[in-house]
Amino acid sequence: MLLRYTFQRLLMLIPVSISISIVIFMIVHLLPGDPIDNLLRIGSSPEDREALVARYGLDRSLFVQYFTWIGNLFQGDFGQAIVLRRPVIDLIGQNLPYSLVLGGLAFAFSSIVGMSLGIISSVVRNPIIDRLVRGFILLGSTVPGFWLALLLILFFAVNLRWFPVSGAGGWDSLVLPVLTIGFGGVALVARVTRVALMDARREDFVMLLHAKGLSHNTILFRHLMPHALLPVVTILALRIGWILGGAVTVEFVFGRPGLGSLLIRALGQRDYPVVQGCLLMLALAVMLGTLIGDIAQAAMDPRVREAKT
Amino acid sequence: MRYTTKKRLITGSAIISAGFLFATASMAQEITIAFDAGELGSTSYNPVTASNLNSAASLIYDRLIEQDADQSYHPHLATSWEESADGMTWTFALHEGVTFHDGSPFNAQSVADWIPDFAGSDNEYLVAAIASVDVIDDLTVRFNMERPEPNLLYNFASTFMGIPGPAAYEEMGEDFGVTGAVGTGPFMLESFEIGLQTVLVRNDDYAWASDLSENQGAAHVQQITFREIPDQSTAFLELQTGGVDLLLGVPTDFLQILAAEPNIQVIHMPGTGISYMPINVTAPPFDDILVREATGLAIDQPAIVAAVYNGVGAPAHNFLISSLPEAEVNDDLNVYPDLERAGALLDEAGWMMGADGVRMNAEGESLSVDLFTANSTEFTRLTQVVQAQLAGIGMEATITVFDSSTIRDEYRRNAHQLAVRAYDWNNSDILDWFFSGTRLGYPNVSMWEDAEGQRLNDRAMTESATFDERVANFLAYHEYVLSQHLFVPIYQPTKNIAFNTDTVIIPDPVRGTRFRSQTVLDIRVVE
């Protein structure tokens, strides 16, 4: 049953991917401006401009350009960056590991700390701790990432000099960016975990378990957590896509390479093949995250796969 | 007692570690430099094909000629040169004993092999006037020209004219400049991580510096790490905390903060560009030359330098940087503030001052215009001051902020009236770029088409046989452009370099038009 469900979900990715590729292509090409102005040198003639437009196929209809791009994609060719002058796949390959490491660590940090805080907040019957955690959740949900990044830099890098201000040199250069990105995630995961656990505790079966004399910890970890994990897993799965795309401003502030930095630079220069390649990677990550979330939900709850098959 | 001993141990270890680290850094003679924001994003150190080269490229490759801040030319790999009377041949004598990083000799054949590499590249225009190259002897080379090119020395001084090692260039193909690079420069490429950093190590054999450097031998510094830090605030904090020793291209906004730092010194290099306000001559009311002239007279350049740039830099009164001879125009054509005359001109043009401080014409239209600008803090601030100064003559300007790609589209759509923008170029051919009738919309933002202007442009660009003739022709073209009131000159920025005086010693003044090898050769690490 689960295999069938997974296969159906994979099949659905095909029309979704095609739709996304069309949307990405159109958004990029309908933006004002073009990459050619960034290639022209002072002294270039209008004929030079026309030649460059023709060289990169920008004089062809959008229809032809789209199918050329898609055709090349099917052969594993992401194209050649117009302004950055490198194969797009090389540029993505150089930047993706930085994004994966940063996003992966931030994901792990926000998942572990967020779930722990959510559990503490819902279990510990101490109003001060509960308020502190709720205050943290509110703060984490509202503080903008770039502002938090600057605060962390000023405190930990400038005043205390514990970590470098920027760069991607060693493990210490990861601490502040991971904290910055992870902070918002912690708040989100903590909030969802807290609400899910509190809802689960109101279920009738919990009273029965108490009546049977089971300990609080047994009820919490063996019976409540599987119930509460469903929405948490969904949220975490959706954040897999965000691992790659959520660090754009943080990469900028901390001077780190990454897919977000590459996308922003390419967008500013209207380097179409690079923007398309980056957006496609981000879209694939989101689709993959959603797929994992759906499959995990289906695996954990038979009602989900029965309802959807 | 235990606590005290432990504390002593920790303190002692910390001091020893710090001392060790300091000693290591001192002995290592290594420095870290943060690139100027405008230099970020290089994806290759191939000078022949790259679209964007940064300061590190000038350390890997030498050029035949160097240019100083006063725009004078100095020998480098070429020790002397001679132009024929008709401008159709140039003969260069080359420096003896120069070798590439791979040990191969630099000679006339290296030059002859290098020029054809430009064919088909976007940088081909730099050598477009060269028909062929003759090797006269091992250290003499002659360029035979398609046409006289009085701008040849300027082209040869460009970073894009750094000379790569021919053998490595051929062998490495498309990887040249990415995975490795070979030149004759004072530093060799050690590693290049696109978007992150470039590490260069000293070329110990270097003994052919130009006369712009005091040090004629190998560099004092053994290793340089160039870092790409996109956010200027972060780069500033890196300088403050010792993460970088030298910061290229410090924004004017930060200069006051840096002045309060005891261990940070700022050097101001003469800039190579102008901030200005182009006027769209096809968009009413600016199709009237009187309104255009009045607009120019409204802008108080010295007040802008004081208010926006804290007195750093200089007011611009015409379109070219003041170190160019073509900037020496008849002073009557330079643009200076004069509110009284501006008011009289607008009255003459039929725009009378209204009760609300905004002028109106006989049809009841108010003198309200669009003022476009780019999305940077410095530009936005400058534009706001310009807006306030325009209000002083009864012109109501509405500011719209665009990103650099979108604003070019707006120019091409002819949707603009006024704009605040800047260029960075130290050659008078910038006049052709911005005012030739063949490039209306962008870069000819003024949308100016004029038969006499085009004639003067063509004469300056293609009919000048010698350097002096070129200067005279561009001077005439510049004066004609000024007489048409196509733009308002505003500001000549400086290039600001900040460095940590605890770690490095930078020569002041910095020689050359930009921060390049001639300066880096003289940099010392504080012992």
Side-chain angles (χ1 to χ4, degrees):
Chain A
M1 187 70 97
L2 183 63
L3 266 177
R4 190 175 159 206
Y5 174 72
T6 306
F7 182 69
Q8 282 179 337
R9 295 289 292 112
L10 280 170
L11 272 183
M12 277 177 64
L13 286 184
I14 296 171
V16 173
S17 303
I18 291 171
S19 309
I20 284 174
S21 72
I22 294 171
V23 170
I24 287 173
F25 184 86
M26 293 309 290
I27 285 176
V28 170
H29 283 261
L30 292 178
L31 279 173
D34 67 45
I36 301 304
D37 284 327
N38 294 296
L39 296 178
L40 292 176
R41 295 279 166 69
I42 289 171
S44 306
S45 66
E47 293 74 31
D48 293 335
R49 189 176 205 288
E50 294 308 312
L52 284 168
V53 167
R55 184 196 294 180
Y56 293 106
L58 301 176
D59 54 347
R60 293 180 292 174
S61 71
L62 284 183
F63 186 77
V64 173
Q65 288 185 54
Y66 171 74
F67 279 102
T68 307
W69 176 56
I70 281 292
N72 291 337
L73 271 183
F74 276 116
Q75 297 169 52
D77 180 7
F78 278 63
Q80 183 84 10
I82 296 173
V83 182
L84 295 173
R85 304 284 180 93
R86 300 286 305 157
V88 175
I89 195 71
D90 284 5
L91 291 169
I92 290 176
Q94 281 154 3
N95 284 277
L96 189 60
Y98 290 102
S99 294
L100 284 175
V101 169
L102 178 59
L105 286 172
F107 179 78
F109 171 75
S110 57
S111 306
I112 295 165
V113 179
M115 285 175 68
S116 306
L117 282 178
I119 292 168
I120 292 168
S121 164
S122 67
V123 172
V124 177
R125 303 294 172 89
N126 183 329
I128 297 173
I129 292 178
D130 186 46
R131 274 179 200 161
L132 276 175
V133 174
R134 280 162 59 190
F136 176 81
I137 289 171
L138 184 69
L139 203 67
S141 310
T142 50
V143 170
F146 69 91
W147 187 75
L148 179 64
L150 288 174
L151 275 188
L152 291 176
I153 289 174
L154 283 175
F155 189 69
F156 290 108
V158 177
N159 291 329
L160 297 175
R161 311 255 171 140
W162 286 358
F163 303 106
V165 173
S166 67
W171 68 268
D172 55 346
S173 65
L174 274 164
V175 175
L176 298 184
V178 165
L179 283 178
T180 308
I181 303 172
F183 191 63
V186 165
L188 180 68
V189 175
R191 193 173 65 224
V192 173
T193 309
R194 180 176 184 273
V195 170
L197 274 174
M198 290 177 84
D199 284 348
R201 282 171 58 184
R202 290 192 199 102
E203 297 281 341
D204 293 340
F205 76 91
V206 179
M207 195 180 290
L208 180 68
L209 294 172
H210 279 294
K212 286 173 79 176
L214 267 64
S215 70
H216 279 293
N217 282 348
T218 309
I219 294 171
L220 174 67
F221 291 106
R222 190 169 297 171
H223 299 282
L224 282 180
M225 282 303 283
H227 273 265
L229 272 180
L230 266 176
V232 177
V233 166
T234 310
I235 286 292
L236 290 179
L238 286 174
R239 288 181 75 80
I240 290 177
W242 168 91
I243 287 177
L244 294 185
V248 175
T249 51
V250 174
E251 283 176 359
F252 181 80
V253 173
F254 286 101
R256 290 183 63 85
L259 216 53
S261 300
L262 179 65
L263 175 62
I264 293 298
R265 183 181 300 162
L267 206 54
Q269 297 172 325
R270 302 291 190 269
D271 201 335
Y272 297 149
V274 183
V275 177
Q276 288 163 195
C278 290
L279 287 178
L280 200 63
M281 293 299 295
L282 297 179
L284 284 174
V286 171
M287 284 194 294
L288 190 70
T290 313
L291 179 70
I292 292 171
D294 284 353
I295 294 170
Q297 268 196 333
M300 290 163 67
D301 187 349
R303 289 172 301 178
V304 173
R305 55 179 183 263
E306 277 162 16
K308 290 185 179 174
T309 50
Chain B
M1 188 67 183
R2 247 178 81 198
Y3 173 71
T4 312
T5 309
K6 190 177 169 186
K7 206 163 93 173
R8 277 181 186 158
L9 272 172
I10 292 170
T11 312
S13 306
I15 290 169
I16 291 166
S17 306
F20 179 74
L21 283 173
F22 179 75
T24 309
S26 279
M27 284 186 296
Q29 296 277 310
E30 295 171 6
I31 62 169
T32 303
I33 300 176
F35 282 126
D36 185 330
E39 294 187 305
L40 304 179
S42 291
T43 54
S44 168
Y45 282 107
N46 183 338
V48 175
T49 60
S51 58
N52 176 21
L53 285 176
N54 55 39
S55 302
S58 80
L59 304 182
I60 302 169
Y61 307 101
D62 287 326
R63 291 146 298 282
L64 291 173
I65 290 162
E66 299 294 342
Q67 194 172 14
D68 201 358
D70 63 0
Q71 314 306 325
S72 59
Y73 295 105
H74 294 251
H76 194 180
L77 291 183
T79 52
S80 64
W81 53 88
E82 193 181 344
E83 183 186 10
S84 65
D86 61 359
M88 293 304 285
T89 61
W90 288 77
T91 306
F92 284 73
L94 304 179
H95 205 298
E96 195 177 358
V98 176
T99 54
F100 288 102
H101 299 153
D102 60 4
S104 58
F106 165 78
N107 51 30
Q109 192 58 49
S110 317
V111 177
D113 289 343
W114 160 59
I115 296 294
D117 290 337
F118 284 91
S121 80
D122 293 344
N123 298 328
E124 188 177 7
Y125 74 97
L126 288 164
V127 297
I130 300 173
S132 61
V133 186
D134 293 337
V135 174
I136 306 299
D137 60 42
D138 201 38
L139 293 175
T140 311
V141 67
R142 185 172 61 213
F143 297 102
N144 304 306
M145 311 301 288
E146 293 271 7
R147 54 177 164 78
E149 175 52 292
N151 211 29
L152 189 70
L153 297 182
Y154 178 81
N155 289 349
F156 277 152
S158 161
T159 315
F160 293 95
M161 296 297 273
I163 303 175
Y169 192 84
E170 196 179 333
E171 193 180 310
M172 296 174 75
E174 288 199 351
D175 287 334
F176 188 87
V178 182
T179 57
V182 172
T184 61
F187 285 85
M188 301 182 286
L189 183 65
E190 174 79 4
S191 66
F192 174 35
E193 293 172 79
I194 295 173
L196 183 63
Q197 64 180 22
T198 299
V199 179
L200 305 181
V201 292
R202 183 170 69 187
N203 175 5
D204 290 327
D205 299 330
Y206 197 75
W208 45 87
S210 75
D211 63 0
L212 295 178
S213 304
E214 191 181 309
N215 172 21
Q216 291 293 301
H220 302 302
V221 176
Q222 283 179 340
Q223 181 175 307
I224 303 177
T225 302
F226 281 94
R227 287 185 53 193
E228 296 210 15
I229 306 174
D231 183 37
Q232 291 178 325
S233 305
T234 309
F236 165 74
L237 290 173
E238 284 284 18
L239 178 69
Q240 210 178 21
T241 55
V244 301
D245 302 299
L246 200 159
L247 185 55
L248 302 177
V250 182
T252 319
D253 300 8
F254 292 153
L255 293 180
Q256 273 192 319
I257 309 169
L258 285 173
E261 297 286 330
N263 62 336
I264 290 177
Q265 188 182 328
V266 178
I267 294 176
H268 304 292
M269 290 175 66
T272 49
I274 296 277
S275 298
Y276 68 106
M277 180 167 69
I279 302 173
N280 183 348
V281 300
T282 65
F286 299 110
D287 50 350
D288 184 340
I289 194 169
L290 296 175
V291 178
R292 299 205 297 267
E293 185 178 356
T295 305
L297 297 171
I299 302 304
D300 187 343
Q301 298 96 337
I304 286 176
V305 176
V308 182
Y309 299 103
N310 300 311
V312 176
H317 297 292
N318 59 50
F319 200 73
L320 298 175
I321 56 171
S322 49
S323 55
L324 286 170
E326 297 90 338
E328 301 291 318
V329 294
N330 181 338
D331 197 41
D332 291 342
L333 292 166
N334 279 324
V335 183
Y336 297 102
D338 187 343
L339 291 183
E340 199 176 319
R341 180 165 159 70
L345 286 168
L346 287 173
D347 287 345
E348 188 185 338
W351 293 96
M352 312 309 286
M353 188 60 89
D356 58 354
V358 179
R359 288 179 182 268
M360 298 187 82
N361 63 9
E363 286 79 43
E365 295 166 332
S366 61
L367 189 54
S368 301
V369 300
D370 289 324
L371 177 58
F372 289 1
T373 192
N375 55 350
S376 78
T377 312
E378 198 169 304
F379 258 107
T380 311
R381 231 153 35 112
L382 170 60
T383 309
Q384 284 165 346
V385 175
V386 166
Q387 181 190 38
Q389 292 187 347
L390 290 175
I393 59 165
M395 186 180 286
E396 184 183 53
T398 305
I399 296 175
T400 311
V401 181
F402 294 97
D403 76 273
S404 59
S405 289
T406 307
I407 203 168
R408 285 193 287 251
D409 246 28
E410 293 297 304
Y411 296 146
R412 287 211 173 84
R413 289 197 313 113
N414 198 6
H416 59 292
Q417 287 177 296
L418 299 174
V420 172
R421 59 191 323 279
Y423 75 80
D424 186 9
W425 193 251
N426 61 333
N427 192 292
S428 54
D429 59 11
I430 195 72
L431 290 164
D432 162 67
W433 182 244
F434 284 119
F435 298 111
S436 167
T438 60
R439 302 190 190 93
L440 294 177
Y442 185 80
N444 185 347
V445 180
S446 299
M447 303 292 293
W448 183 58
E449 264 187 300
D450 181 276
E452 176 61 5
Q454 200 58 46
R455 187 187 70 77
L456 291 169
N457 182 328
D458 293 344
R459 189 178 71 171
M461 286 296 290
T462 59
E463 296 166 27
S464 308
T466 64
F467 179 80
D468 290 340
E469 204 177 315
R470 186 177 189 271
V471 170
N473 287 339
F474 266 112
L475 189 64
Y477 181 36
H478 188 195
E479 289 187 335
Y480 186 67
V481 165
L482 283 163
S483 73
Q484 299 303 301
H485 306 286
L486 310 174
F487 66 94
V488 184
I490 301 176
Y491 174 61
Q492 292 190 72
T494 55
K495 288 188 187 299
N496 309 311
I497 294 170
F499 63 96
N500 188 334
T501 52
D502 291 342
T503 56
V504 287
I505 302 165
I506 310 289
D508 187 8
V510 168
R511 301 291 299 272
T513 54
R514 295 173 201 280
F515 184 86
R516 281 182 175 177
S517 58
Q518 72 275 353
T519 305
V520 177
L521 278 169
D522 288 335
I523 290 179
R524 289 177 183 275
V525 173
V526 175
E527 297 293 336

